[in-house]
Amino acid sequence: MLIKSIFGGKSEMTEAGSKKCPVVLMTRIRLARNLADVPFPGWAKEARRKEVLETCLPSVASLGQMKRGISAEIESLSDLERQILVERHLISRELSTHAEAAGVVISKDQSISVMINEEDHLRIQVIKSGYRFKSVWNAADAIDTALEEQLDFAFSQKIGYLTACPTNVGTGMRASTMMHLPALVISSQMEKVVRAVNQLGIAVRGLFGEGSDASGSIFQISNQTTLGESEEEIVKRLSSVLRTIIDQEMNAREKILEKDPNKLYDKIGRAYGILQNSHLLTSSECMNLASLVRFGVDLEMFPEKTRNIVDRMFIECQPGHVQYHAGDEIDSSARDAFRAQYMRKQFENVDRPIFQLHETSTEDDTPKQEPEQEAE
Amino acid sequence: MAKPLKCDVCSQPATVHLTQIINNQIHKIDLCENCAEQKGITDPSGYSLADLLVKPESESAPEVAALSCPECGCTQREFKKTGRLGCAKCYEVFSSVVSPALLNMHRGDSHRGKVPQRALERRTFIDRLGTLESGLQDAISSERYEDAARMRDEIIELKKAMEAAAAEA
Ligand SMILES: [Zn+2]
Ligand SMILES: [Zn+2]
C-alpha cells in the first residue's frame, strides 16, 4: 500500500536531474523541533512518546503541503518498506530501527518529510534536486511556521530551539547538498578537500556504500554548527564553501581531460560495457559505474536524457529497491543477479559513448549565485 | 580515493568526517560507517559531539555529576553517557556543563535565527490569562470587588485579542 504510492508518483529525487548543476545532485534542509513541556523522545516514557505521536501525526498530516501525501506509524511498516524509505532519504536509519511510537508524514511529491519521535519530536526535512537552498528553505520555513500555529515548540530566547542533542540547538537547522565529485576522487584530491572544508566548520560525508571507494563519488556536505548564526548566514557560509568545491571539481575535470583523456575514456567505456553486459552487480560497483556514466553525461559523451537513468540508479541499485523490483525478499547474491539484469535492461537502448571532446564539455553551468536568490 | 581516510577507531576506510573545535583547537575525527553508528552518529547530517566534548566524568565534581533535572529526572551522568539531554528544562539545570560546551561546538552562544513569534505570543497570552483568572478568584474570595471587576474586564479584553490574533493567522 505505502510502497505503491511511493513508486507510483513522480519523485523529486529521481526525475529532475539537470545539466544546470552537474555537480550538485540535491539540496536538503532539516529542522529539529520539540514540543514544549514534553521530555525529548530518547528520554520520554513510552506513554509520553505515544502522546506526542498522537498529537503530531494528525497536525502534520493536516497541512496543505501534505495533501494526498503519506502518513504512517513506523511500526506499521514492513522491514522492506522502512528500508526503501531510508534509501530514498525520506526517513533516517535511526527512525527505522527505533520504531516505537515513531511516525512519518511524506508529501505527495516526496520533497517534504516530517519524522516524528526521531531524536527530536519533529524533524522537518525538505529535499529538492539541484542546487536550490532558497526554495528548499522557503518550503521548510513554511512548514515550520504552519506547525507553530498548532504546536508549542521548546524555545529559549537565549539559545533558540531546544534539541535533544546540544549540537543542534539554536536554529536546529542542518543544511546540506549531495555532490557528485568524480574528478576529485579520481585525481586523489578528496582527502585534501575534506580537510580544508572541515577547518571551515563544514562536515563531509561519503554518502553511499561502506568504504570511501564505494561511494559512487557522492558526498554530503553540511553545516556543523547551528547556534550563533541565522539560518541565512549558515546557508551563505555553506554556499561559499560549496562554490569552492564546485570550482575544484571543475578544475580537476579539466586537468584529467588535458593530461590523460584515454584513462578517463577507458573508465567510462568500461562502465558502459559492464552495465550493458554484466550478470552480477553489487550495489557498490553499480554506484561507481553510475557515477562514471554521469560524468560521461556531463562531458556530453552520452545523451542528456541518460542523466535521469543514472540518477535513478543511485537510488534503485540499493538493496531495498532491488528487492521491491524483484517482487520478493532475496539474498545478496540473488540481488546481484537481479540488479545486473535490471541495469542491462536500463542500458539496452543507451547509445554508445562518443569519445571526443566537446568544446563546452567541461564548462560549469552552475550559477555563481542561485538565480532564485538574485531575484530577491 | 587512492588513499582513503582511515577510521580513527578501527582503521577501516572512513566515510564520516567531522571536525570539532575544543578550546580553539581543531580536532578531526574520521569514522567508518560502523563506528559512526556505534557512536550514535546515525543521521547523515546530524551527529553528536556532545559525548566527545564533555569532559569525562571523573574530572568533574561528584555533586555536579549527581545533579538531576526536576522536570524529567535526567541526570548529568546520563547526559555525559549519551550526549543527549532529557528535556528543555535540562538546558537550565545542566547549564554549568552545557553552556561552555555550546561555546565550543558552535559559532557563538546566542540564537540569531528564526523565532516562533506566533507561538510565543500565544504562550504569553495563556500565561497572562492564567495569572488574571487566579487573581480574579482571590479578589472575589477576599471581597475586593473593585479589583475583581477590573480583572474581569481585562480577561474579556485579553480573550478578544487572542481571538483576533488567531483569526488573523
Ligand atoms: Zn571504524
Ligand atoms: Zn530535563
Side-chain angles (χ1 to χ4, degrees):
Chain A
M1 181 62 202
L2 169 90
I3 279 194
K4 280 236 170 68
S5 43
I6 288 283
F7 283 90
K10 281 207 165 185
S11 158
E12 186 64 39
M13 295 282 301
T14 54
E15 303 292 338
S18 137
K19 175 77 173 31
K20 285 273 174 277
C21 300
V23 174
V24 182
L25 297 179
M26 64 180 73
T27 304
R28 158 153 76 177
I29 283 181
R30 188 220 67 197
L31 299 175
R33 297 290 185 258
N34 287 283
L35 303 188
D37 310 322
V38 186
F40 301 135
W43 187 251
K45 298 254 163 27
E46 179 82 15
R48 300 305 300 275
R49 287 169 55 102
K50 283 223 168 82
E51 277 172 38
V52 170
L53 182 66
E54 279 157 20
T55 310
C56 293
L57 203 60
S59 287
V60 178
S62 72
L63 298 176
Q65 291 94 327
M66 294 304 192
K67 211 168 151 193
R68 279 176 291 143
I70 296 162
S71 163
E73 294 188 19
I74 305 302
E75 277 182 313
S76 73
L77 305 178
S78 69
D79 288 348
L80 185 59
E81 285 175 317
R82 292 180 203 184
Q83 192 175 355
I84 282 169
L85 293 181
V86 171
E87 289 173 1
R88 295 197 156 223
H89 311 286
L90 293 170
I91 65 172
S92 63
R93 206 165 286 285
E94 169 154 339
L95 195 78
S96 77
T97 52
H98 296 91
E100 313 81 37
V104 67
V105 183
I106 299 166
S107 69
K108 188 168 187 297
D109 68 358
Q110 297 174 39
S111 68
I112 307 168
S113 74
V114 178
M115 289 185 274
I116 299 163
N117 279 333
E118 211 244 22
E119 184 180 296
D120 297 296
H121 293 138
L122 291 164
R123 287 281 176 96
I124 301 162
Q125 175 191 271
V126 177
I127 299 188
K128 293 192 181 199
S129 65
Y131 190 25
R132 285 194 280 167
F133 272 122
K134 187 73 191 168
S135 77
V136 169
W137 163 253
N138 285 344
D141 184 33
I143 295 264
D144 178 48
T145 302
L147 285 174
E148 198 189 297
E149 292 297 333
Q150 312 177 41
L151 306 168
D152 278 335
F153 291 146
F155 181 84
S156 138
Q157 300 281 4
K158 173 88 171 79
I159 57 170
Y161 291 95
L162 302 174
T163 52
C165 182
T167 53
N168 294 317
V169 85
T171 59
M173 182 181 78
R174 202 69 64 187
S176 65
T177 55
M178 213 140 86
M179 303 184 89
H180 184 225
L181 306 171
L184 289 175
V185 172
I186 289 170
S187 58
S188 308
Q189 294 183 70
M190 210 44 221
E191 175 169 357
K192 194 185 76 190
V193 170
V194 168
R195 290 296 178 215
V197 165
N198 274 177
Q199 303 242 352
L200 299 167
I202 302 292
V204 179
R205 185 190 165 105
L207 201 66
F208 293 116
E210 294 81 46
S212 42
D213 200 40
S215 67
S217 302
I218 295 178
F219 297 87
Q220 178 168 302
I221 299 177
S222 62
N223 63 303
Q224 288 193 55
T225 60
T226 54
L227 179 64
E229 288 172 297
S230 69
E231 291 84 357
E232 201 183 344
E233 288 166 329
I234 291 170
V235 166
K236 211 169 154 193
R237 198 160 53 77
L238 178 62
S239 297
S240 79
V241 171
L242 295 176
R243 185 65 246 172
T244 311
I245 297 174
I246 292 169
D247 290 344
Q248 299 267 336
E249 167 68 17
M250 286 305 166
N251 285 339
R253 289 184 183 193
E254 225 163 300
K255 281 237 174 66
I256 290 172
L257 284 170
E258 230 168 69
K259 270 171 53 188
D260 208 352
N262 279 335
K263 195 171 149 198
L264 184 65
Y265 291 160
D266 185 64
K267 279 178 189 286
I268 294 173
R270 281 166 190 268
Y272 175 77
I274 293 169
L275 286 165
Q276 275 200 335
N277 296 293
S278 80
H279 280 67
L280 288 173
L281 210 48
T282 64
S283 64
S284 68
E285 183 179 11
C286 198
M287 290 284 177
N288 286 331
L289 299 172
S291 162
L292 285 164
V293 174
R294 199 179 204 278
F295 195 179
V297 176
D298 292 341
L299 300 172
E300 295 177 15
M301 293 169 66
F302 297 101
E304 182 58 32
K305 63 175 191 257
T306 316
R307 190 185 303 276
N308 273 340
I309 299 178
V310 175
D311 287 351
R312 232 177 16 242
M313 277 172 68
F314 284 131
I315 304 293
E316 301 210 327
C317 75
Q318 298 177 83
H321 279 74
V322 168
Q323 293 182 73
Y324 172 73
H325 286 299
D328 201 1
E329 295 204 10
I330 51 180
D331 68 15
S332 90
S333 63
R335 286 204 296 273
D336 291 351
F338 185 88
R339 186 180 289 114
Q341 183 198 334
Y342 187 77
M343 293 306 158
R344 288 202 306 277
K345 185 103 189 94
Q346 293 288 311
F347 275 82
E348 202 172 52
N349 298 316
V350 173
D351 291 338
R352 301 186 56 242
I354 301 160
F355 296 109
Q356 68 181 35
L357 275 183
H358 296 263
E359 266 308 298
T360 59
S361 58
T362 60
E363 205 168 276
D364 161 32
D365 290 340
T366 309
K368 292 281 171 204
Q369 257 190 319
E370 286 182 81
E372 294 167 316
Q373 271 175 350
E374 285 169 351
E376 265 201 331
Chain B
M1 271 180 262
K3 222 175 65 192
L5 298 173
K6 293 250 163 63
C7 173
D8 292 338
V9 180
C10 73
S11 302
Q12 296 287 315
T15 56
V16 183
H17 314 286
L18 305 168
T19 301
Q20 47 177 334
I21 298 161
I22 304 171
N23 300 328
N24 297 322
Q25 281 200 297
I26 295 168
H27 297 252
K28 293 173 192 110
I29 306 169
D30 302 293
L31 297 170
C32 72
E33 206 70 23
N34 283 338
C35 294
E37 202 149 329
Q38 272 174 21
K39 298 232 174 267
I41 308 170
T42 45
D43 174 0
S45 50
Y47 49 86
S48 159
L49 294 183
D51 44 351
L52 306 163
L53 274 166
V54 177
K55 284 194 207 112
E57 203 169 325
S58 55
E59 290 181 35
S60 62
E63 67 270 21
V64 178
L67 206 61
S68 81
C69 172
E71 201 74 38
C72 74
C74 184
T75 61
Q76 187 149 303
R77 191 184 305 267
E78 195 67 31
F79 169 53
K80 288 189 172 180
K81 208 173 83 194
T82 62
R84 308 294 193 279
L85 291 157
C87 75
K89 181 85 180 166
C90 287
Y91 276 94
E92 290 168 37
V93 179
F94 305 124
S95 68
S96 67
V97 189
V98 174
S99 298
L102 288 180
L103 254 183
N104 281 332
M105 62 177 90
H106 293 292
R107 301 202 148 218
D109 59 356
S110 39
H111 180 56
R112 297 176 37 161
K114 182 173 179 176
V115 170
Q117 206 53 53
R118 288 273 308 124
L120 289 179
E121 279 169 17
R122 191 171 56 223
R123 231 176 148 74
T124 316
F125 271 136
I126 290 167
D127 287 352
R128 178 81 187 126
L129 192 63
T131 313
L132 283 171
E133 276 171 344
S134 68
L136 178 63
Q137 286 311 315
D138 281 356
I140 291 172
S141 58
S142 57
E143 304 186 1
R144 289 181 284 116
Y145 295 116
E146 257 178 53
D147 285 349
R150 183 178 50 77
M151 282 190 245
R152 190 202 52 213
D153 290 348
E154 250 190 85
I155 288 172
I156 293 167
E157 284 302 307
L158 190 63
K159 282 186 173 163
K160 266 193 214 156
M162 280 169 79
E163 275 164 30
E168 203 179 298

